[in-house]
Amino acid sequence: MTRIQTLLALFALLSPALGAHAAPYLPASGTQVIETLPRRGDPVQQELRRLRAQLNAQPNDVALATTLARRYIALGRSETDPRYLGYAQAALAPWWKQAAPPPPVRLLRATLLQSTHQFPAALADLQGVLAVEPQNAQAWLTLATVQTVQGDYANATSSCARLSSLANELITVTCVAQVGGITGRALQSEQLLALTLERSGTTTPELQVWVLTLLAEMAQRRDAVTLAETRFQRALALDPHDSYLLGAYCDFLLDQKRPSRVEALLADQTRIDALLLRRALALQQQGKTAPLAADVAELAARFDAAMLRGDTVHQREQARFELLRRDTARALTLARKNWAVQKEPADMRIYLEAALQARDREAAQPVIDWIAKHKTEDAAAAKLVRQLGESA
């Protein structure tokens, strides 16, 4: 998952029944906690039940359906629980298959579609919304998001520019900076975004976390380690449970060879596949073979389940997993497939790492050419490109 996208996978629970390719998961003992369900007394859950009951009575009420869907999407992000995205789609069921549903529904459908990398369908919905509502700031931001992920930087920049009169300065600059940060204007984009954040005054914690995480990653890509650490810590102070932030910070820590910190951070976060993967990488760095074997077995079962469902959203993470267990050919295949869909710095890096481990510089040429064409500045990627040249 990526901060540029702020994406969420649109799937129900990982099925415990993994068919012929993996055995059902069995808890070690009757005391092991498998899932913590939301408490019925939780005010958020009570409000959701109230809205669901209203929608059941009035299933064609667009305002009510979109309100409930937004609540589910927000909760899915905060809890990193993809079930809520399924609930959001269910709330929109009366309009889901319509070619041109009402703009609020269509925008939510685009949000959910891009979560599962159905980018052409999401783009069509976003363009449809903007044809009717050209002043819709959320639609322009989501469009810029999808265009950036796909590497359509010129159109992403144009979409960001449309936000200047529709959204606050921090959102607009963040949109532009995330494009500039990977297209030859890294330092200038980072400096402008940092300045805009500092002078933005009071803003929502969610927006601050998004911006600080992006700034931390920008500093990390140019090897400004101390600055990156400071920004990650500022973001964590605002939201220590943000799953993307935790993953990004753990990647930074793994690069800095601080695996014990990763293990401590993720002790109670292993229900999230991407975070379980990072804990496994931390265990590998520390040579903890027994717990590593358990995490590898669990990850293998989860990725097998995803493949049985036809889920291709997590190919980047799965490529990293295959490198962890030294299946370089499989890792390179997955990295190549992932690159065909999305082109963020992390996608570049896993492709280069897989090609290096496979000793196949020719396979990495599309990414090497992409980096040169767009003048992408990334110290880790540059090092991998040098190593690939040396290996050749």
Side-chain angles (χ1 to χ4, degrees):
M1 296 298 188
T2 63
R3 172 56 57 186
I4 288 181
Q5 295 166 293
T6 357
L7 296 185
L8 299 165
L10 179 55
F11 293 107
L13 276 174
L14 285 173
S15 172
L18 304 179
H21 295 280
Y25 175 73
L26 297 175
S29 72
T31 61
Q32 183 173 346
V33 176
I34 299 174
E35 181 71 54
T36 302
L37 299 176
R39 296 183 179 180
R40 292 189 63 81
D42 184 336
V44 173
Q45 294 298 324
Q46 289 178 337
E47 174 68 5
L48 288 173
R49 285 197 297 274
R50 183 184 68 77
L51 289 171
R52 275 201 307 268
Q54 290 181 3
L55 187 60
N56 287 338
Q58 307 170 67
N60 295 310
D61 187 323
V62 171
L64 186 57
T66 53
T67 296
L68 181 57
R70 289 189 193 98
R71 296 284 183 88
Y72 278 137
I73 290 171
L75 194 58
R77 285 176 175 162
S78 65
E79 298 292 330
T80 318
D81 190 337
R83 288 174 294 186
Y84 289 112
L85 299 179
Y87 303 156
Q89 180 175 341
L92 304 175
W95 307 274
W96 187 261
K97 293 185 178 180
Q98 292 182 7
V105 173
R106 200 167 188 181
L107 178 55
L108 289 168
R109 186 170 69 180
T111 300
L112 293 169
L113 287 169
Q114 57 103 22
S115 299
T116 52
H117 294 182
Q118 297 180 66
F119 295 135
L123 287 169
D125 271 345
L126 292 166
Q127 296 288 4
V129 170
L130 289 167
V132 178
E133 298 181 349
Q135 303 303 306
N136 191 313
Q138 184 60 57
W140 283 114
L141 181 59
T142 308
L143 179 61
T145 288
V146 175
Q147 291 165 333
T148 302
V149 170
Q150 293 193 299
D152 185 2
Y153 302 130
N155 282 322
T157 301
S158 297
S159 297
C160 290
R162 295 297 295 266
L163 287 170
S164 60
S165 62
L166 305 174
N168 69 43
E169 183 185 24
L170 182 57
I171 291 175
T172 302
V173 171
T174 303
C175 186
V176 173
Q178 65 187 10
V179 180
I182 51 178
T183 54
R185 305 183 302 279
L187 184 57
Q188 303 96 308
S189 298
E190 181 185 338
Q191 290 173 336
L192 175 60
L193 182 55
L195 177 62
T196 306
L197 175 63
E198 294 309 318
R199 70 185 183 194
S200 63
T202 303
T203 187
T204 65
E206 294 81 5
L207 180 54
Q208 290 184 64
V209 169
W210 177 34
V211 175
L212 284 167
T213 305
L214 177 58
L215 283 168
E217 291 176 311
M218 294 172 90
Q220 180 184 358
R221 288 200 293 270
R222 62 182 180 86
D223 260 351
V225 174
T226 302
L227 183 57
E229 173 76 31
T230 299
R231 289 169 172 169
F232 277 128
Q233 291 294 343
R234 283 180 62 189
L236 285 165
L238 291 167
D239 187 352
H241 303 296
D242 183 290
S243 61
Y244 178 82
L245 168 58
L246 282 171
Y249 183 46
C250 287
D251 285 342
F252 169 78
L253 294 171
L254 289 167
D255 282 349
Q256 299 303 313
K257 306 301 181 187
R258 296 165 60 189
S260 60
R261 174 65 173 146
V262 174
E263 190 179 1
L265 275 173
L266 303 183
D268 59 349
Q269 300 288 336
T270 55
R271 67 185 178 85
I272 303 168
D273 296 358
L275 299 185
L276 177 60
L277 172 61
R278 285 156 175 84
R279 188 179 75 171
L281 292 166
L283 293 171
Q284 184 185 52
Q285 278 195 8
Q286 296 174 90
K288 294 185 175 181
T289 54
L292 174 59
D295 280 3
V296 167
E298 175 65 17
L299 284 164
R302 294 187 190 186
F303 284 126
D304 283 348
M307 286 190 291
L308 289 172
R309 293 194 307 273
D311 174 359
T312 60
V313 171
H314 305 291
Q315 288 178 328
R316 182 170 73 201
E317 286 78 9
Q318 190 173 358
R320 290 185 71 180
F321 173 64
E322 297 300 346
L323 280 187
L324 183 153
R325 60 179 182 177
R326 295 180 173 81
D327 188 341
T328 55
R330 177 66 175 153
L332 184 54
T333 296
L334 288 163
R336 183 183 286 112
K337 289 180 178 179
N338 175 68
W339 181 253
V341 178
Q342 57 182 34
K343 295 174 174 62
E344 297 185 86
D347 304 306
M348 300 176 196
R349 181 166 173 178
I350 186 57
Y351 198 152
L352 293 171
E353 287 178 347
L356 180 62
Q357 292 299 315
R359 300 180 182 278
D360 190 345
R361 187 188 186 283
E362 183 178 353
Q365 197 61 48
V367 181
I368 295 171
D369 292 343
W370 184 273
I371 290 171
K373 177 182 178 180
H374 297 287
K375 302 179 181 178
T376 303
E377 301 162 80
D378 186 317
K383 180 179 179 181
L384 289 165
V385 170
R386 288 196 301 271
Q387 291 174 325
L388 281 160
E390 292 164 1
S391 68

